[in-house]
Amino acid sequence: MRNPLEAMVIVIPAHNEEELIAGCLRSVRTAMDCFTAQHPRVAIGATFVLDSCTDQTSRILQEQMLDDPRLSMLEVQLGNVGASRAAGVRFALQGLGQRTHPQSVWLACTDADTRVPVHWLTAMAGRRAAGADAVAGTVQPDRQELDAELYRLWRAAYRPVDGHHHIHGANLGVSAAAYEAVGGFPPLAAREDVALVAALRTAGYRIDASAQLQAITSGRLRGRLREGFADYLAALDGQGARID
């Protein structure tokens, strides 16, 4: 029988996201409110990992931290999204103290350029209760940042169905015990999320791939890291140009 859920931990890396972090903050705070309404006894908090930020991201976050004690910030100089995510998880778990067992903790991951759905955390908790060790959601690019043709190309190439094979660090959840058992996020500059899920699968953990958990992420074509979602969209854009 699975341990009762005692803590919900959210980890969000950011690198110079002053233009988009406010939207992420609003969505995460709303998702936490929704979760707490259903799980009032479960501790909850969101840690933003600011990696080598040189813009106003820190100031924006600090302003919101003043009226929301659930928010915390870790500043690092790693220049590596995998290392940033891992540092955030360590920081958040250490904040829980030794009395909270990893079997009773759920880790939810998103990105600072992403807006999660209201039911994001409650749905993950439900999947956990049903036996999932990890949950992989889907993403949709912000239509305000994409022209109609590129959005059409994305819709044709991306299949958001239950049992999908998409892995996004912007919409991923995992049991802290399973996360620690496979060594956590590797220090990769890209695809650290894919590597983590591959390790979980190899170790025999159950990963639920859900189309019911869809996050809205940036539709920009120049991202903060190579081989990320922005590069994927840019590649589609190039394919469309060649087809025309």
Side-chain angles (χ1 to χ4, degrees), residues 27-183:
S27 73
V28 168
R29 292 177 68 176
T30 300
M32 288 195 292
D33 290 342
C34 178
F35 176 83
T36 298
Q38 296 190 31
H39 304 274
R41 296 185 180 181
V42 178
I44 189 166
T47 297
F48 285 78
V49 186
L50 276 55
D51 190 349
S52 309
C53 288
T54 57
D55 65 354
Q56 297 300 307
T57 301
S58 176
R59 179 188 61 77
I60 295 168
L61 179 55
Q62 287 176 1
E63 289 176 354
Q64 295 215 22
M65 287 171 59
L66 291 175
D67 64 7
D68 194 336
R70 300 173 301 181
L71 302 176
S72 61
M73 179 176 69
L74 173 65
E75 295 188 88
V76 298
Q77 300 289 325
L78 297 169
N80 181 290
V81 67
S84 293
R85 289 195 200 277
V89 172
R90 286 193 301 271
F91 179 83
L93 294 181
Q94 288 170 0
L96 295 176
Q98 296 183 346
R99 290 182 297 177
T100 305
H101 194 279
Q103 290 281 5
S104 301
V105 180
W106 186 263
L107 305 173
C109 301
T110 188
D111 290 335
D113 66 349
T114 300
R115 304 189 302 275
V116 298
V118 172
H119 67 292
W120 187 51
L121 300 173
T122 55
M124 284 196 180
R127 295 274 181 164
R128 174 191 182 274
D133 298 300
V135 177
T138 60
V139 299
Q140 175 178 314
D142 190 334
R143 294 194 66 175
Q144 295 183 358
E145 298 181 49
L146 289 183
D147 62 42
E149 177 60 14
L150 182 51
Y151 185 77
R152 183 191 68 78
L153 289 171
W154 173 80
R155 285 292 301 269
Y158 191 93
R159 301 296 182 189
V161 297
D162 285 341
H164 63 82
H165 298 290
H166 306 295
I167 304 297
H168 304 284
N171 193 354
L172 182 65
V174 59
S175 157
Y179 174 89
E180 291 185 342
V182 300

Side-chain angles (χ1 to χ4, degrees), residues 4-27:
L5 184 63
E6 296 181 13
M8 175 71 73
V9 170
I10 305 130
V11 174
I12 307 151
H15 172 64
N16 289 346
E17 291 290 359
E18 63 182 7
E19 296 180 2
L20 298 175
I21 195 171
C24 174
L25 277 160
R26 284 192 298 270
S27 73

